[in-house]
Amino acid sequence: ILNVEQSPQSLHVQEGDSTNFTCSFPSSNFYALHWYRWETAKSPEALFVMTLNGDEKKKGRISATLNTKEGYSYLYIKGSQPEDSATYLCAFRSGTYKYIFGTGTRLKVLA
Amino acid sequence: GAGVSQTPSNKVTEKGKYVELRCDPISGHTALYWYRQSLGQGPEFLIYFQGTGAADDSGLPNDRFFAVRPEGSVSTLKIQRTERGDSAVYLCASSGTGGYNEQFFGPGTRLTVL
C-alpha cells in the first residue's frame, strides 16, 4: 500500500508570516509529485509538477522542492496573505496515470 | 475555455436510493478520473478512463459503484442502494495523455445520504 503523508494537518499563521509544509511519499517507483491548492467551494488548482530529484519550482510567493531519494517535498509560502488560505494537497505518481493523494494541509492566514 | 464541470453540485438522497453523478471533462482530454473525498481525507482514487474504456477500476469500493463513459467524453458515476457511508465529495478530473500532463479538476459533487 502506497502511503502519502502531509504535515501539519492544519495551521494558522498571521498575515505576512512565511510558512512551509511537508509531503512524504514512497522513495521507490517515483514518477512525479504534484502540488494542488484547494479553496473551499472551488476546484483543486494545480500548483506544481515535480519530476526530478532536486527540482525547485516557484510561482510568485509559493515555491516547492523535491527530494526523491528520501521521499519528501516541501511547499513554502513567503509573506502569507489571507487569500492563501486553502487546503494544500500533494499527490504522488508511481506510474503514468495513478495519483495517490495525501490528506492535505489546511492553511488559515489571519489578517 | 471551459473547464471540467460536474452536476449536480449538491445531491441529498435517502439511504437505499440510486444516484447518478455527471462529469463533463475538458474537450479533447482522453483521460478521466473519479475520486471520492471524505471528511478529513485526501481524494481517494475510484476509477480511471482512457477514452471509452475503464483502464483501472480498482478503487471502486464495491459493486454498488459503477461508472461509464460511452462516447469518450462525458462520464457518469452511478451508485446503487446508497448507504450513509457513501456521503462524500465526488471529484472528477481530466487530462491529456502522455508525459507529465496535469489533471484538471471539476468543483465536485457533494453527496449526502440521509
Side-chain angles (χ1 to χ4, degrees), chain A residues 41-100:
Chain A
K42 294 188 179 178
S43 307
E45 170 201 353
L47 289 174
F48 303 113
V49 185
M50 321 280 294
T51 58
L52 296 174
N53 185 45
D55 254 358
E56 291 188 26
K57 297 279 177 85
K58 187 172 168 28
K59 186 186 287 189
R61 294 179 291 98
I62 304 177
S63 60
T65 60
L66 179 70
N67 183 323
T68 60
K69 294 188 189 310
E70 296 180 39
Y72 64 84
S73 176
Y74 293 136
L75 190 81
Y76 300 91
I77 303 178
K78 187 177 175 183
S80 303
Q81 300 297 308
E83 59 265 31
D84 295 330
S85 298
T87 295
Y88 291 83
L89 290 166
C90 68
F92 168 79
R93 286 169 75 182
S94 61
T96 56
Y97 72 86
K98 199 153 186 181
Y99 295 68
I100 311 296

Side-chain angles (χ1 to χ4, degrees), chain B:
Chain B
V4 179
S5 62
Q6 292 186 245
T7 54
S9 55
N10 279 285
K11 175 73 178 176
V12 180
T13 191
E14 292 179 343
K15 181 173 179 292
K17 300 287 190 186
Y18 168 82
V19 296
E20 289 190 352
L21 312 180
R22 177 187 166 108
C23 172
D24 275 273
I26 291 172
S27 178
H29 278 184
T30 55
L32 186 146
Y33 301 77
W34 282 99
Y35 294 91
R36 177 169 72 173
Q37 198 237 357
S38 302
L39 198 62
Q41 303 296 316
E44 172 195 5
F45 171 82
L46 294 177
I47 187 168
Y48 161 69
F49 286 91
Q50 183 54 248
T52 59
D56 184 344
D57 64 358
S58 62
L60 295 177
N62 52 59
D63 61 7
R64 295 186 297 105
F65 288 74
F66 189 69
V68 296
R69 195 185 184 199
E71 296 177 4
S73 178
V74 169
S75 177
T76 305
L77 178 66
K78 307 179 182 199
I79 311 174
Q80 297 179 315
R81 304 183 306 278
T82 51
E83 298 178 356
R84 293 198 179 89
D86 299 335
S87 297
V89 174
Y90 289 82
L91 287 166
C92 173
S94 70
S95 74
T97 48
Y100 302 106
N101 280 298
E102 288 287 355
Q103 288 184 112
F104 292 85
F105 280 89
T109 293
R110 181 174 295 279
L111 175 67
T112 303
V113 182
L114 301 176

Side-chain angles (χ1 to χ4, degrees), chain A residues 13-38:
Chain A
V13 301
Q14 290 294 133
E15 183 176 359
D17 286 352
S18 293
T19 187
N20 66 85
F21 13 97
T22 307
C23 173
S24 301
F25 52 86
S27 55
S28 59
N29 298 320
F30 178 86
Y31 184 81
L33 193 284
H34 295 251
W35 281 100
Y36 295 87
R37 185 171 91 165
W38 193 2

